[in-house]
Amino acid sequence: MRIEALEPHQVFVFGSNASGHHGAGAARMALERFGAVWGEGHGLHGQSYAIDTMSGLPTIEREVQAFLAFAAEHPELELLVTEIGCGIAGYTPEQIAPLFLGGPGNVVLPERFRAVLERD
């Protein structure tokens, strides 16, 4: 599913780098369409939420845990997760999807992440 537009209660969740240089892929889309801020590589900005996927798997784990805590605190939002970490960062859905296990119901995972979680 390619996210082209958002409803007011939706947030575009994308992979970033620690320095917030949103130059390509979903990060660039977040910058151009959904309120991401150049230089901000973590957290909520506008209708986007950045997760650092370029600083190693342990960092992604911490960032996803912080994101899931944010999601639990904001049940009024629908958080649309892109395939974070599976582009430039070079991880597979099998490596990233399990990090979202036990997340709240307002977190909407991409199809390939759901497929991984359903077969485990």
Side-chain angles (χ1 to χ4, degrees):
M1 164 180 73
R2 184 169 170 87
I3 302 164
E4 299 285 340
L6 297 173
E7 297 293 325
H9 68 285
Q10 293 177 319
V11 175
F12 182 83
V13 181
F14 67 100
S16 182
N17 54 62
S19 57
H21 294 162
H22 309 311
R28 184 166 193 90
M29 181 176 278
L31 179 68
E32 293 175 349
R33 295 187 183 188
F34 305 128
V37 176
W38 189 266
E40 297 290 340
H42 313 273
L44 182 69
H45 301 281
Q47 279 185 275
S48 68
Y49 190 104
I51 294 176
D52 177 6
T53 58
M54 297 299 290
S55 298
L57 203 50
T59 297
I60 298 171
E61 287 185 59
R62 285 191 303 275
E63 294 259 325
V64 169
Q65 289 307 306
F67 163 72
L68 294 176
F70 171 85
E73 293 168 4
H74 295 279
E76 75 280 6
L77 298 176
E78 183 180 30
L79 300 138
L80 308 175
V81 179
T82 63
E83 287 192 4
I84 67 158
C86 297
I88 296 168
Y91 297 100
T92 65
E94 289 75 18
Q95 291 173 290
I96 301 297
L99 303 178
F100 290 91
L101 274 172
N106 60 335
V107 174
V108 180
L109 297 177
E111 186 176 324
R112 291 197 316 160
F113 285 16
R114 288 192 314 268
V116 167
L117 296 178
E118 288 167 5
R119 57 171 194 251
D120 289 344

